[in-house]
Amino acid sequence: MDNPIAFTIVMASILLTMYISWASRRHTRTTAAFYVAEGKIPWRLNGAAMLGDYCSAASFLGVAGAVALVGVDGWWLALGFFAAWIVVLLVIAGPLKSTGKFTVADALSARFGGRESGIRIVAMLSTLVLCTLYLVPQMVGAGHLFKLLLGWDYLPTVLVTGTLMAIYVIVGGMRGTTYNQAIQGILLFGAMVGLLIWVSISHFGGNPLAIVERGQEMVPPVVVTKEVAGTVAQMETAAAAVTTARDQMPDAPAAMTPGVELRDLMNQASLVLGLFLGTLGLPHILIRFYTVRNARAARKSAEFTIWGLAVFYAAVLLVGLAAMYVLYPTLVQLLAEGQRGMATNMAVPMLGQLLGGEIVLGIIAAGAMAAMLSTSVGLLISATTSLSHDLYAAVLRPQSTDRERLLFAKTGAGFLAAMAIGLALWLRDQNVGVLVAMCFGIAASTFAPALVFTVWWRRLTKQAVVAGMSVGLVLSLVLTFAKFFNVPHILGVPVLVNPALYSVPAAVLATVLVSYMTKDTAGRSDEFLASAHGS
């Protein structure tokens, strides 16, 4: 077995989270308890759970790895992830808790009397599409990452990840999921901050700001690889490699120089728009506001998460720059050999192993597993709740008992987990980063405009909600799969890295036009808006 100590640490973290799910099983006997823990989760615990839910492996490994290769340009996406939470806090957190109960569709349909099947169906479809597409990259990433970290094969890793995800949700419900996500969030946070402290002491005289000073001198490895890779990769020490690269390329940009690897304007604008608005429409994030007692607790949860993310992403930037310095010749060598994926995903694990051997590698691996499982269970319970509450209870069998709805939800969790495993096996060679970014684009095109209009615009009609979400969902899916299959143009329009630049304006335009063409506001917009904003 490769790395037995690291394997033991990962297994210990898995057994702990399984015990928590088992211990929470008695809190899953009603739909209210299974869906949202009866709204009794303390706001600090909910904030920690949202931190774990939001910090996927893309943040934990991908962003720091990107910084290690290209410098500060690899950090802009993290800044977008963080800035979006300010909008969530100011625009959605309180109104969503005040007007909904279990799902996002509750808030959307409550505006029009609470029994709008058209709104619930399109919201349920959007939730299932988003959660399923978002689940796939988590599992594909787990399959590849643990082969690199611990030598595990892809197939058993995906099967184990999918099975654990289903067990956590079916056995522990929202309460067990919350405790697990909170622990995983703390583990992620602690691993990143601990790594920063360790590398600061061991390589930068205990001063984290010295990492930034070093970043102002280093030529990013992606720039070095284009011209003097052979010379730099042969250096015996990182310091010698960094100095040689600067001597050979005195006019090259530094790691702290913006613009080293930005996309063209349209692709960059579409990506930023998708990431910025996407957080506003992610169902597995929004459902967490229903797990606390009131709107004030929802806002305080968001504030807790924002502070955690601020520290976490600051640490990600510094750890990425430190990894660039400490691993400089290795990263240049990997890029020269065409192994960019490995250089990006393994920069943090390689840094951890260099600093603390197999024990730190095990902590990093446990953190990566925590990131994937935390996000996955959040997605699964969100999709399961929407399937049971918005489709089964509201449309298919309104007279069903609470026990039947609970059974449907748990069965749905098993079915969705099996479907995600199948898709992860089929799509094992796809780019997980592309899939994640596109999920943000779909969320930005469906739930984000619908929610903002619902809680802030008096003229909105129920037909407009259905029309806007449908247009956003269909257009973003078409553009997502066009990119997925490498289609360069559709009807002469270039396909971008993210669908948001086209699909968000289209969804907004459809919502506004249909609102002015129809009149069915259900006659209670004033009452709803007063409830949403607590007046």
Side-chain angles (χ1 to χ4, degrees):
M1 178 188 295
D2 294 338
N3 303 312
I5 297 176
F7 174 79
T8 302
I9 294 173
V10 172
M11 288 306 299
S13 71
I14 290 175
L15 289 174
L16 172 63
T17 51
M18 288 185 69
Y19 171 77
I20 290 170
S21 295
W22 180 81
S24 302
R25 68 192 187 286
R26 67 179 183 276
H27 297 289
T28 64
R29 292 169 183 164
T30 66
T31 51
F34 183 79
Y35 293 160
V36 293
E38 298 177 298
K40 295 180 179 178
I41 300 294
W43 65 264
R44 289 187 182 86
L45 179 61
N46 195 46
M50 287 197 290
L51 182 66
D53 204 349
Y54 196 62
C55 290
S56 66
S59 296
F60 185 69
L61 298 177
V63 175
V67 172
L69 298 187
V70 306
V72 72
D73 278 356
W75 192 58
W76 297 137
L77 293 183
L79 207 57
F81 290 147
F82 171 72
W85 271 90
I86 306 294
V87 183
V88 171
L89 171 64
L90 297 176
V91 177
I92 286 296
L96 196 66
K97 174 59 185 176
S98 298
T99 57
K101 188 176 180 183
F102 296 139
T103 66
V104 181
D106 282 342
L108 297 175
S109 62
R111 168 77 182 257
F112 307 100
R115 294 188 175 277
E116 297 302 325
S117 58
I119 292 176
R120 286 195 178 276
I121 288 174
V122 73
M124 182 272 298
L125 288 174
S126 299
T127 300
L128 291 184
V129 167
L130 271 168
C131 291
T132 304
L133 286 179
Y134 212 144
L135 274 173
V136 172
Q138 304 303 319
M139 299 178 68
V140 171
H144 289 306
L145 187 61
F146 281 88
K147 183 174 181 59
L148 295 172
L149 281 173
L150 302 176
W152 297 356
D153 289 336
Y154 181 86
L155 177 61
T157 303
V158 168
L159 290 174
V160 168
T161 304
T163 304
L164 284 174
M165 177 178 72
I167 290 174
Y168 287 160
V169 171
I170 293 172
V171 176
M174 180 56 88
R175 181 174 291 274
T177 298
T178 299
Y179 278 104
N180 276 329
Q181 287 182 323
I183 290 174
Q184 289 158 347
I186 292 169
L187 178 59
L188 283 169
F189 187 91
M192 187 58 71
V193 174
L195 201 55
L196 172 61
I197 293 172
W198 196 328
V199 76
S200 297
I201 294 172
S202 62
H203 287 78
F204 298 93
N207 180 14
L209 295 180
I211 300 174
V212 178
E213 293 176 7
R214 187 68 68 181
Q216 292 171 338
E217 302 168 1
M218 289 186 291
V219 182
V222 292
V223 178
V224 172
T225 306
K226 297 173 183 174
E227 299 188 25
V228 293
T231 304
V232 172
Q234 291 174 2
M235 295 292 107
E236 294 185 358
T237 66
V242 169
T243 302
T244 300
R246 176 51 70 192
D247 290 343
Q248 295 284 323
M249 305 175 69
D251 298 324
M256 296 302 293
T257 306
V260 170
E261 201 173 65
L262 289 179
R263 298 176 173 87
D264 62 83
L265 181 59
M266 285 186 64
N267 275 296
Q268 191 68 19
S270 192
L271 183 60
V272 170
L273 183 63
L275 295 178
F276 186 71
L277 293 180
T279 305
L280 210 59
L282 291 176
H284 65 297
I285 297 296
L286 299 178
I287 195 175
R288 295 227 56 91
F289 293 123
Y290 296 133
T291 65
V292 293
R293 293 185 183 280
N294 50 43
R296 183 171 179 271
R299 283 191 288 268
K300 291 182 77 67
S301 298
E303 290 172 6
F304 185 99
T305 306
I306 288 171
W307 281 109
L309 289 174
V311 176
F312 178 80
Y313 282 127
V316 163
L317 173 63
L318 295 175
V319 167
L321 290 172
M324 179 190 292
Y325 176 76
V326 175
L327 303 171
Y328 203 83
T330 304
L331 295 176
V332 171
Q333 181 69 39
L334 287 172
L335 289 174
E337 294 173 352
Q339 300 186 62
R340 179 159 183 156
M342 182 168 182
T344 301
N345 293 324
M346 294 301 289
V348 171
M350 284 191 294
L351 178 63
Q353 191 168 26
L354 185 68
L355 293 175
E358 203 176 329
I359 293 177
V360 176
L361 176 64
I363 294 173
I364 299 295
M369 177 62 92
M372 293 164 184
L373 281 176
S374 180
T375 303
S376 297
V377 296
L379 289 162
L380 186 59
I381 199 166
S382 175
T384 300
T385 299
S386 181
L387 195 64
S388 175
H389 181 62
D390 297 327
L391 180 64
Y392 186 73
V395 179
L396 297 181
R397 292 200 61 195
Q399 305 306 319
S400 55
T401 65
D402 199 61
R403 182 181 177 82
E404 290 172 332
R405 295 173 185 179
L406 188 60
L407 179 62
F408 188 86
K410 293 188 175 184
T411 304
F415 174 77
L416 290 172
M419 189 167 69
I421 290 173
L423 286 171
L425 295 177
W426 176 46
L427 299 170
R428 61 183 297 170
D429 295 325
Q430 299 304 317
N431 185 320
V432 297
V434 171
L435 279 174
V436 169
M438 288 181 173
C439 290
F440 272 75
I442 296 171
S445 310
T446 51
F447 284 122
L451 279 171
V452 171
F453 279 127
T454 296
V455 299
W456 291 98
W457 193 35
R458 197 179 306 277
R459 183 66 183 79
L460 183 70
T461 67
K462 63 181 182 182
Q463 293 87 350
V465 175
V466 175
M469 288 191 67
S470 299
V471 168
L473 178 62
V474 171
L475 188 55
S476 59
L477 272 179
V478 168
L479 292 167
T480 292
F481 280 91
K483 183 66 180 176
F484 187 66
F485 289 109
N486 295 317
V487 177
H489 297 84
I490 294 179
L491 302 175
V493 177
V495 176
L496 305 177
V497 69
N498 192 284
L501 194 63
Y502 303 130
S503 52
V504 170
V508 170
L509 186 62
T511 304
V512 173
L513 286 178
V514 175
S515 286
Y516 281 108
M517 293 168 61
T518 54
K519 299 180 179 179
D520 193 356
T521 60
R524 58 187 304 273
S525 57
D526 289 340
E527 179 186 347
F528 175 85
L529 293 178
S531 172
H533 300 291
S535 57

